[in-house]
Amino acid sequence: MQTRKLGNTGPTVSALGLGAMGMSGMYGPSDRAESLATIDVALEAGITLIDTGDFYGMGHNEMLIGEALKGHKRDQAILSVKFGAQRDPSGGWIGFDGRPAAVKTSLAYTLQRLGVDHIDIYRPARLDPVVPIEDTVGAIADMVKAGYVRHIGLSEVGAETIRKAAAVHPIVDLQIEYSLISRSLEDKILPVLRELGVGMTAYGVLSRGLISGHWDKSKGQEKGDYRAHTPRFQGDNVDRNLALVEALRTIAAAKGVSVAQIAIAWVAAQGDDIVPLVGARTRSRLTESLGALDVTLSADDLAAIERAVPRDAAAGTRYAEAQMAHLDSER
């Protein structure tokens, strides 16, 4: 397995990480046995970075990963956990809590559900609009000193917030959506990350399956699949976006690889400080994603991809309006 280091102060991790959100209902029903088998295969293949959130299935995802880890040594996995998103019993999103006491309480529950004594990278899922990021990061820093957390990360925050957080404690990485059709971070955020020596873990590299080469309009309608409410998957937007996928398919076919593989490889090619996270829910999709590590993109390939999928070509925002309003990274 190829490896990459997360920032100047972070751990060395596999060059591809596994995002486990889709195993807990966010994309509709999932198969528990297949999810466990997929995590197992990922660890056996050398994937060390596993990403979750305490609000994925309201603890379900953490307990699933905890069960999968029982068959492996704890040090085989670098566990990245997001916290703070608030949800009601119906699954609705009702805010974010980044208060110091909430940070420590959330961590206590996470350690219990995962069945571990420390979290490798702990990060607020969003910026709390009423709690200074310095206070939230300071509380995690307390947990670093106490031995419950190894490193601190951030998620979906902008350049100014990154600077404020890094002034309190070393930040190893920013987790943020980055793909061929989600590139706004390149203007202000990525330069600051590189200036400060902060790595990036890129989620949504396949745009929730939209640019995987496997998704079509007959899919994504299962109960609980939040993509049905996401602008890029709605109305005329989805037709325009799927046309981009077909343009990308032509390039992938010429190289003898899949659309998903070339999309993942493009993200990985944007810098050694970037680790793509793939949200594979099955062993077959994981195997396909792992194949992206063998894809080498030449300057001509990258230019062809840029022509096929220009930076601002995507139709629709990456989240619904209400969720976009919570993204410090988009301000």
Side-chain angles (χ1 to χ4, degrees):
M1 172 59 66
Q2 303 167 32
T3 60
R4 295 186 172 188
K5 184 175 171 61
L6 288 183
N8 290 344
T9 62
T12 296
V13 301
S14 51
L16 194 69
L18 178 65
M21 182 184 77
M23 298 177 180
S24 294
M26 297 295 286
Y27 296 143
S30 57
D31 184 289
R32 182 178 183 82
E34 182 62 25
S35 295
L36 289 168
T38 301
I39 297 171
D40 187 65
V41 168
L43 290 166
E44 291 295 336
I47 287 180
T48 57
L49 183 62
I50 299 180
D51 182 77
T52 184
D54 61 12
F55 49 92
Y56 293 168
M58 300 314 294
H60 174 276
N61 205 243
E62 291 178 322
M63 290 188 287
L64 182 77
I65 292 169
E67 183 176 344
L69 285 178
K70 290 178 181 178
H72 299 268
K73 294 179 179 178
R74 168 64 180 90
D75 59 8
Q76 279 186 263
I78 302 293
L79 295 174
S80 165
V81 180
K82 294 181 292 297
F83 69 89
Q86 305 292 289
R87 303 180 70 182
D88 63 27
S90 69
W93 303 94
I94 56 176
F96 184 87
D97 193 345
R99 295 173 300 161
V103 171
K104 296 173 184 180
T105 300
S106 295
L107 177 60
Y109 280 112
T110 283
L111 292 169
Q112 182 69 26
R113 286 188 291 255
L114 282 165
V116 298
D117 61 5
H118 71 275
I119 301 303
D120 297 289
I121 310 170
Y122 202 51
R123 70 183 80 242
R126 296 289 186 269
L127 176 66
D128 189 326
V130 298
V131 177
I133 189 63
E134 294 92 337
D135 292 354
T136 302
V137 169
I140 307 174
D142 290 343
M143 298 294 92
V144 172
K145 293 176 184 175
Y148 296 117
V149 172
R150 294 289 187 265
H151 304 281
I152 301 178
L154 297 171
S155 176
E156 288 289 358
V157 294
E160 182 180 352
T161 301
I162 296 166
R163 291 189 185 279
K164 290 178 179 179
V168 175
H169 189 279
I171 303 298
V172 299
D173 73 316
L174 171 70
Q175 188 173 119
I176 191 166
E177 184 169 354
Y178 189 38
S179 73
L180 274 165
I181 62 172
S182 296
R183 297 178 57 181
S184 61
L185 63 88
E186 293 175 344
D187 295 329
K188 297 179 180 180
I189 294 174
L190 187 54
V192 169
L193 294 179
R194 288 175 171 163
E195 174 193 338
L196 299 178
V198 176
M200 183 202 301
T201 45
Y203 76 89
V205 293
L206 298 179
S207 297
R208 298 163 185 82
L210 181 59
I211 60 171
S212 67
H214 301 296
W215 196 89
D216 60 51
K217 291 194 290 185
S218 69
K219 300 174 183 177
Q221 305 302 316
E222 296 91 346
K223 182 179 179 181
D225 191 332
Y226 84 101
R227 289 176 293 191
H229 309 287
T230 302
R232 287 181 175 173
F233 288 84
Q234 295 178 336
D236 293 338
N237 288 349
V238 72
D239 292 320
R240 290 171 57 187
N241 292 332
L242 288 176
L244 298 174
V245 176
E246 292 312 304
L248 190 60
R249 195 186 304 276
T250 299
I251 299 171
K255 286 191 67 69
V257 301
S258 72
V259 176
Q261 287 170 338
I262 205 165
I264 296 167
W266 181 88
V267 173
Q270 302 312 300
D272 291 340
D273 52 351
I274 299 172
V275 177
L277 296 171
V278 296
R281 295 197 290 170
T282 64
R283 285 167 286 183
S284 60
R285 291 287 185 258
L286 176 64
T287 299
E288 179 184 23
S289 297
L290 285 167
L293 296 175
D294 298 321
V295 178
T296 300
L297 298 178
S298 66
D300 288 343
D301 292 331
L302 291 170
I305 292 169
E306 293 274 353
R307 288 193 297 270
V309 187
R311 171 174 158 164
D312 298 316
T317 54
R318 55 194 180 101
Y319 287 102
E321 184 177 354
Q323 289 178 291
M324 289 293 290
H326 291 291
L327 294 179
D328 182 60
S329 56
E330 292 288 345
R331 296 194 178 105

